[in-house]
Amino acid sequence: MKSFRIFFISLLIFIAVPVFADYNRLGVPDSSEIRKECAERWFYPSLSIIREFKPEVKVNSIGQKFQIRLEETDSVFSVIIAPETTLTYEFRTDTETRKEAVSEYLADACGSCILFRDSKTGKPIRIRYYFAKDCDVYVQFSPHGNRTLADYVIGDCYAARSVPVGINFDRLYTASFGEILTFTENALPWQYAGIDIGQYLQKKHMIGLIRKNLSRISWQMDSAYDEDQNPVRVSDGQPRPVSKEEKDGGKLSLSSLGFVKWVVDGLVEPIAGSGTYINPLYRNTVSVNPLGLAGIRFEKDKLSFSLDWTRNLAAARLSVQTRKKYLYEESGVDVKIEPFSAEITENGIKSLAGYVKDTGYDAKWLRPVMYVLGVTEPTYFYLAAIRKRIPPEAGKTPEIYTFDEAAVIFPYFDDNQKFRCVVFKDGKEMSLNSFVTKHNDCYIHLVRVLSSDRFYPQ
């Protein structure tokens, strides 16, 4: 009888304590109980009334702090419920450098919720939830007559747009994030939120080893090494001279395409006993009409050179990995995903072209594409063939595009589930943003290569 009373009291305590604050599978800080408490005060009154309110800080049932505040633009005002975030700043003086942790309430932090309303009419426009550690990833809901429409946004691209969901818009004011996941489970692409940081160890291993070897590499035009590590020209595979310093000092001279081969060789040699055979890398992978100026120019100037090179490299790695010979067209190494339907631009929402056959992706949308690949293909890295525009001679030649450079791209998520992407090109490391900025008028074609901890670069 005594044990039953203890169980009954424990059950009452369990029922009485709010448990929804942190109950969602993505671990998103939950402000729903705070929003329930403050909805009548902050979400419904006119702008003139809300302007009188000072920012408030409230704590949910598991001790997480949230700030409620108003922000305005010319035509829209926003009520923001933002979780406490600790940021570390570095302060330098003439005599010392010190770090200081500062608590802030960022509108786009993971766990933030923002209600947007029209400044003139007061009508709700949308409500947005930030659920990822990257501030350009979020879901939002808009009222449309008697319906509620949902968007899933990654880096200014719509992974889902205007999808009807079966919930009244007002209900979203106080819904927990766990409830939102349930409401939209089959409507929104939540597979892009399932990050498993343990899947990226092999890629991090490869990144670390490449970094350690970069000091040995110098860029040199038209330079690579064949399967036996003999120095050759990329253009035709023929021997090339190297300096005595390179021969004796363990140095490497590599061009853009030579570098991506060097990376793949580090995966191939431990299994095959030699590097990637160079002759098969010249195999053409693009069919063109041989007639006409464009076709003649394509064949004459090898306009698909780095595209063929990266495709054949990826197929060679797959062949060695599976111990079965794959030609490019049988390999499935091309990245052709089209996760986005539209883009957000300064001039409004526009349709997004996505993948273009034998061309790739517009470089400006490479980041959201890599984000999706980082989530959905966590064990792969990518060889990127860069398609550039050749300026035409006035009145003489048509506009021509050529694949003549390549890079290696490693998307992953760090231990805090924040998206990272490392790019190696020409024997140097650069950020994804720098890579995109440098090639903003190019197209980037991607092929996938399985990462491995059996990576031993020359």
Side-chain angles (χ1 to χ4, degrees):
M1 189 67 179
K2 182 177 179 182
S3 61
F4 175 80
R5 285 199 302 271
I6 293 173
F7 170 79
F8 184 71
I9 292 170
S10 299
L11 180 62
L12 288 177
I13 291 173
F14 178 80
I15 293 173
V17 174
V19 296
F20 48 78
D22 61 339
Y23 272 62
N24 61 78
R25 67 175 184 268
L26 299 182
V28 178
D30 183 25
S31 64
S32 58
E33 58 188 286
I34 293 171
R35 284 182 273 122
K36 286 179 179 178
E37 179 185 343
C38 302
E40 291 298 327
R41 173 177 169 85
W42 282 94
F43 291 163
Y44 294 100
S46 65
L47 174 58
S48 59
I49 293 175
I50 297 176
R51 278 176 176 155
E52 301 297 319
F53 301 156
K54 294 181 179 180
E56 300 177 9
V57 174
K58 295 188 176 292
V59 183
N60 68 12
S61 61
I62 60 170
Q64 294 170 324
K65 291 182 179 180
F66 290 82
Q67 184 191 65
I68 309 167
R69 67 177 185 270
L70 170 70
E71 290 187 3
E72 296 184 61
T73 63
D74 291 340
S75 58
V76 175
F77 72 96
S78 308
V79 175
I80 299 169
I81 303 91
E84 181 182 37
T85 304
T86 301
L87 301 177
T88 301
Y89 293 96
E90 192 173 87
F91 298 91
R92 295 183 180 181
T93 65
D94 293 338
T95 58
E96 65 174 352
T97 298
R98 61 185 176 85
K99 293 183 178 180
E100 186 174 317
V102 178
S103 293
E104 295 191 13
Y105 298 91
L106 304 176
D108 54 8
C110 178
S112 284
C113 173
I114 306 176
L115 173 64
F116 299 89
R117 295 172 61 188
D118 186 281
S119 296
K120 291 183 178 179
T121 66
K123 291 183 178 180
I125 300 172
R126 73 183 69 89
I127 189 167
R128 179 179 296 175
Y129 295 88
Y130 289 93
F131 62 88
K133 295 299 175 69
D134 293 274
C135 62
D136 58 356
V137 180
Y138 54 85
V139 291
Q140 61 186 16
F141 302 85
S142 306
H144 186 76
N146 295 325
R147 297 189 302 167
T148 300
L149 304 180
D151 304 321
Y152 191 117
V153 178
I154 301 174
D156 289 338
C157 292
Y158 286 93
R161 179 174 173 235
S162 299
V163 179
V165 292
I167 181 174
N168 291 331
F169 185 78
D170 284 6
R171 175 70 182 86
L172 293 165
Y173 289 3
T174 57
S176 69
F177 193 75
E179 290 173 318
I180 289 171
L181 287 171
T182 300
F183 297 148
T184 62
E185 184 173 6
N186 297 319
L188 296 180
W190 289 111
Q191 68 269 25
Y192 300 153
I195 298 167
D196 182 355
I197 59 175
Q199 295 273 14
Y200 303 101
L201 296 178
Q202 293 180 161
K203 280 201 273 195
K204 292 178 181 178
H205 170 73
M206 291 186 65
I207 291 169
L209 283 180
I210 293 171
R211 282 173 174 163
K212 287 181 179 179
N213 281 276
L214 291 183
S215 61
R216 301 172 48 229
I217 297 172
S218 61
W219 181 87
Q220 183 171 305
M221 184 179 293
D222 198 21
S223 298
Y225 295 84
D226 68 11
E227 58 272 16
D228 296 318
Q229 307 306 336
N230 298 312
V232 295
R233 295 191 299 262
V234 168
S235 56
D236 57 13
Q238 295 302 305
R240 64 181 172 90
V242 296
S243 67
K244 186 175 185 301
E245 179 187 7
E246 180 174 327
K247 289 180 180 179
D248 299 340
K251 302 291 185 179
L252 298 170
S253 53
L254 295 167
S255 64
S256 171
L257 273 63
F259 179 79
V260 297
K261 182 182 185 297
W262 173 78
V263 172
V264 174
D265 283 350
L267 295 169
V268 168
E269 190 165 13
I271 302 173
S274 69
T276 314
Y277 281 86
I278 198 164
N279 286 336
L281 302 184
Y282 299 105
R283 183 175 179 270
N284 185 31
T285 66
V286 181
S287 298
V288 294
N289 185 350
L291 303 177
L293 180 60
I296 295 171
R297 179 75 183 270
F298 191 93
E299 293 291 342
K300 175 177 175 289
D301 294 338
K302 299 181 180 179
L303 298 183
S304 64
F305 193 58
S306 69
L307 176 63
D308 298 335
W309 187 270
T310 54
R311 281 173 161 175
N312 291 321
L313 269 174
R317 157 61 174 157
L318 179 64
S319 298
V320 171
Q321 164 199 332
T322 59
R323 301 184 186 280
K324 179 181 178 182
K325 185 177 180 180
Y326 284 94
L327 297 177
Y328 150 71
E329 54 269 25
E330 305 164 335
S331 66
V333 295
D334 275 2
V335 175
K336 301 179 181 180
I337 65 167
E338 296 194 9
F340 306 113
S341 60
E343 60 180 290
I344 303 170
T345 72
E346 294 179 355
N347 299 317
I349 298 170
K350 295 183 178 180
S351 297
L352 193 63
Y355 174 79
V356 180
K357 182 182 178 182
D358 296 330
T359 298
Y361 300 91
D362 191 324
K364 66 182 178 180
W365 300 122
L366 191 59
R367 186 185 188 281
V369 169
M370 298 311 300
Y371 186 98
V372 169
L373 289 171
V375 177
T376 58
E377 300 185 3
T379 57
Y380 286 89
F381 68 96
Y382 304 89
L383 307 183
I386 303 165
R387 183 176 185 259
K388 297 178 178 179
R389 173 178 172 269
I390 301 175
E393 297 180 32
K396 294 183 178 180
T397 59
E399 190 171 70
I400 297 291
Y401 290 83
T402 182
F403 282 100
D404 62 355
E405 290 188 291
V408 186
I409 306 179
F410 290 87
Y412 69 98
F413 289 81
D414 66 18
D415 292 344
N416 294 317
Q417 295 193 346
K418 190 169 181 63
F419 178 64
R420 306 292 183 187
C421 196
V422 175
V423 181
F424 295 104
K425 182 177 181 290
D426 297 334
K428 297 180 181 179
E429 180 178 346
M430 62 196 308
S431 69
L432 182 59
N433 287 341
S434 298
F435 179 79
V436 169
T437 299
K438 184 176 181 179
H439 302 95
N440 66 337
D441 58 347
C442 300
Y443 272 77
I444 310 299
H445 190 281
L446 303 170
V447 290
R448 56 176 63 84
V449 179
L450 186 67
S451 61
S452 175
D453 53 8
R454 293 185 67 188
F455 175 62
Y456 302 99
Q458 175 195 351

